[in-house]
């Protein structure tokens, strides 16, 4: 008969080492012997982790599962397979449709009660379902509660921002360690951070003895904790012990058992996050579980040279370049661990432990003493100290003395918990800064968002996420050159990143950079052909080369890879708009706004279709819908002004353009449209002023010179009109040809000063003057 626990351990060992086929094989053997929720869950987990959600779904749905972890995994499989209603039924128990705003709170409390430490993830999953089923109020409430329970769930915060829902509370309060009831829902029940009330601590006497047997110099621990007046380049307030003077062990109290972890068992020292302890079974001196506290220690006792912890080398094992340079400049506060009034008691205990309950290496016998090390470099392994011997000295002590030891133990535990909170607060403060910047970006306050992202610590600023957010902000501002600059840095630092590369390709498309866009398309197809971003990049590449049908094919493939990607629908709609397939275009834009109601580019695309159909009122309505989402877009305001001018509302159009140019004073399209309206209203000097400024902004735009020539022609400046028309023809011989012919037609566009003078165009496209009965005048 198979024993269940060893084979479970073997399966998890295979999963942790990515040996999925072996894990599946062993899990099938386990299920054959034990038809239980635990074995079914393990088998389904093996299939899910190996990238086969369909098989995991079939396994779980074919059984009558009871455990909450099986239900959660089944719901996750349903979401991956786009079976949202079934996923909701699994999580809510057939009451999903009955949940309203009033009953949402009680339902969320039920989820928390049922799923325990996994409840934040269950709430995040059901919020995703509710977002997709257009129940925004319920989804927002679930996201807020998930963040309250576990502020490390960044996706929940991002969903709130992307959907235009104000995070409640603000990011400054969401990402704050003081708001946490305990750490179990953040870090799991096996967390290194203690969530047990301090009154339950009962540390072993060894930890107190270890501390009190130290010399006064050893009791002083220098910690690089920033003072309130210090200026920190990283922007984080970490807990970073002095690597040379501080020694630490980690203990986990359970009754009177203590888990001791080697002083080397912590994560790399970083100026952002401080020290996180790392478990290693080789460094355990007494087996235990659950809570962990940090206790400073020196030598175990003064009578021998044996130590429970290995000697630290001068060079950190997990070193990071540049860490110490940032730490040296920090304003530090000296944190002194309290000295014990029981020094004589500690020495007595030291003698008792040394003489009566010492252990030899790799033995548990209490009758053997410590063996002297054979060499100075030999690593001494810690053994088990008998529980009775360890605590006998404390229990036999005078009650007053014993009370002092207990008070000191609680003081150490309190300090340890505070240090763990400082470490967690380091990460939360970083999330807080990023969250504030991301919130501004989601509100399309792009300039403010850029400033906040650029003020992040240098190591965080140079990551692909932050640089891509800055690139996105510049893209939203139509500053495509700056957007290209930051996205190119993303590819340089993280060539594996595919997130937001579709925006990078759009910026390259607007700047007509065919070579760079083609190179990006090749890199993306080599990186991941199952990414929708990849096919959006390829589609933009063919669109720039005017191969619109090929571009349409690749945008459709992007949608096939990810049917929930709004930007792919928007790009496909734009391509249909270029090819005059307006019905298909509007269908694509409508699908995009159904997936994301705040996708303003799709609302803008619908407005463009109605404008093309000369349905100006509908066009204005959809443009304004887009403007309500992105209130700082000068481009959308410009199109609203064009529509208003087409409806014979030039004054409203000028007012709209004035607001747009207040936001972006050098927006070329806004200035060009204002010049056109001025020309239409007969305000020719104002029109010329705008056009001359435009020549400085876009010196190679043919339409600017063409409109300038028309204005000069109205003013009677024939030679200046001739010069501007020729310049427009040189810049764009094909595009400007028809417009120039209309402007210089001798029968309809004669000079207002002399009816016998007209602007003409010869076969080579050159502009010249012709007088009635005379030869050509250049």
């Amino acid at each position: 008969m198979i024993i269940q626990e060893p084979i479970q351990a073997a399966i998890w060992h295979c999963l942790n080492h990515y040996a999925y086929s072996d894990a599946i094989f062993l899990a099938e053997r386990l299920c054959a012997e034990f038809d239980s929720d635990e074995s079914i869950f393990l088998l389904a987990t093996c299939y899910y982790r190996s990238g086969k959600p369909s098989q995991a779904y079939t396994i779980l749905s074919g059984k009558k599962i009871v455990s909450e972890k099986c239900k959660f995994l089944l719901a996750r499989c349903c979401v991956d397979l786009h079976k949202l209603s079934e996923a909701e039924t699994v999580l809510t128990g057939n009451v999903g449709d009955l949940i309203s705003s009033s009953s949402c709170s009680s339902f969320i409390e039920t989820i928390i009660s049922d799923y325990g430490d996994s409840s934040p993830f269950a709430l995040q999953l059901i919020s995703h379902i509710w977002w997709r089923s257009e129940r925004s109020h319920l989804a927002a409430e679930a996201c807020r509660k998930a963040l309250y329970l576990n502020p490390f769930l960044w996706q929940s915060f991002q969903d709130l921002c992307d959907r235009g829902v104000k995070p409640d509370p603000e990011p400054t309060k969401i990402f704050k360690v003081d708001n946490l009831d305990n750490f179990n829902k953040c870090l799991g029940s096996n967390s290194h951070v203690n969530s047990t009330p301090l009154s339950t601590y009962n540390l072993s006497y060894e930890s107190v003895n270890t501390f009190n047997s130290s010399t006064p110099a050893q009791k002083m621990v220098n910690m690089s904790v920033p003072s309130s007046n210090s200026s920190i380049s990283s922007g984080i307030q970490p807990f970073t012990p002095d690597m040379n003077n501080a020694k630490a062990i980690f203990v986990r109290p359970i009754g009177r058992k203590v888990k001791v972890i080697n002083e080397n068992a912590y994560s790399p020292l970083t100026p952002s996050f401080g020290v996180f302890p790392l478990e290693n079974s080789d460094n355990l001196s007494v087996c235990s579980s659950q809570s962990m506290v940090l206790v400073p220690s020196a030598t175990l006792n003064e009578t021998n040279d044996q130590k429970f912890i290995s000697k630290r080398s001068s060079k950190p094992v997990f070193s990071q370049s540049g860490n110490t340079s940032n730490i040296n400049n920090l304003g530090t506060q000296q944190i002194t661990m309290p000295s014990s009034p029981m020094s004589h008691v500690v020495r007595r205990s030291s003698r008792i432990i040394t003489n009566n309950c010492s252990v030899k290496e790799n033995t548990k016998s209490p009758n053997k003493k410590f063996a002297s090390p054979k060499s100075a470099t030999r690593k001494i392994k810690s053994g088990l100290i008998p529980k009775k011997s360890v605590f006998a000295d404390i229990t036999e002590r005078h009650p007053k003395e014993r009370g002092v030891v207990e008070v000191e133990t609680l003081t150490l535990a309190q300090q340890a918990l505070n240090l763990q909170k400082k470490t967690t607060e380091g990460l939360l403060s970083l999330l807080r800064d990023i969250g504030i910047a991301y919130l501004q970006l989601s509100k399309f306050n792009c300039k403010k968002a850029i400033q906040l992202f650029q003020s992040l610590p240098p190591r965080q600023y140079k990551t692909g996420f932050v640089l891509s957010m800055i690139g996105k902000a510049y893209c939203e501002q139509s500053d495509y050159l700056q957007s290209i600059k930051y996205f190119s840095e993303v590819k340089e630092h993280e060539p594996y990143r595919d997130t937001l590369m579709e925006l990078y390709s759009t910026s390259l498309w607007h700047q007509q950079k065919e070579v760079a866009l083609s190179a990006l398309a090749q890199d993306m197809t080599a990186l991941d052909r199952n990414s929708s971003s990849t096919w959006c990049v390829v589609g933009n590449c063919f669109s720039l080369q005017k191969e619109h049908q090929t571009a349409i094919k690749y945008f459709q493939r992007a949608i096939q890879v990810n049917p929930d990607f709004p930007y792919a629908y928007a790009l496909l709609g734009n391509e249909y708009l270029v090819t005059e397939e307006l019905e298909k275009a509007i269908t694509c834009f409508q699908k995009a706004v159904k997936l994301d109601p705040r996708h303003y580019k799709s609302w803008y695309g619908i407005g463009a279709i109605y404008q093309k159909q000369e349905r100006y009122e509908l066009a204005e309505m959809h443009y304004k819908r887009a403007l309500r989402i992105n209130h700082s877009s000068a481009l959308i305001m410009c199109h609203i002004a064009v529509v208003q001018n087409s409806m014979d509302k030039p004054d409203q159009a000028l007012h709209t353009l004035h607001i747009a140019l207040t936001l972006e004073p050098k927006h070329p399209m806004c200035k060009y449209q204002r010049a056109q309206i001025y020309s239409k209203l007969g305000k020719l000097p104002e029109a010329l002023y705008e056009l001359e400024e435009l020549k400085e902004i876009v010196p190679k735009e043919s339409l600017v010179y063409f409109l300038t020539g028309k204005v000069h022609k109205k003013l009677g400046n024939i030679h200046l009109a001739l010069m501007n028309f020729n310049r427009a023809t040189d810049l764009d011989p094909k595009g400007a040809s028809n417009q120039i012919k209309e402007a210089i037609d001798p029968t309809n566009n004669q000079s207002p000063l002399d009816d016998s003078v007209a602007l003409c165009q010869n076969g080579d496209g050159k502009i010249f003057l012709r007088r009635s009965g005379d030869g050509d005048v250049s």
Side-chain angles (χ1 to χ4, degrees), residues 698-716:
V698 281
K700 295 183 179 181
E701 180 55 58
S702 63
L703 291 177
V704 174
Y705 291 94
F706 171 70
L707 183 57
T708 304
K710 289 180 66 175
V711 173
H712 278 299
K713 183 174 179 293
K714 289 182 180 180
L715 290 172

Side-chain angles (χ1 to χ4, degrees), residues 664-696:
E664 295 187 37
K666 293 185 178 181
H667 195 279
M669 191 171 178
C670 291
K671 296 185 76 66
Y672 178 79
Q673 292 298 332
R674 188 157 72 172
Q676 272 198 327
I677 296 174
Y678 280 147
S679 176
K680 180 180 178 180
L681 295 176
K683 299 181 179 181
L684 301 181
E686 290 88 342
L688 278 179
Y689 178 78
E690 295 288 348
L691 291 168
E692 292 302 323
E693 286 190 346
L694 264 177
K695 289 179 181 179
E696 299 293 328

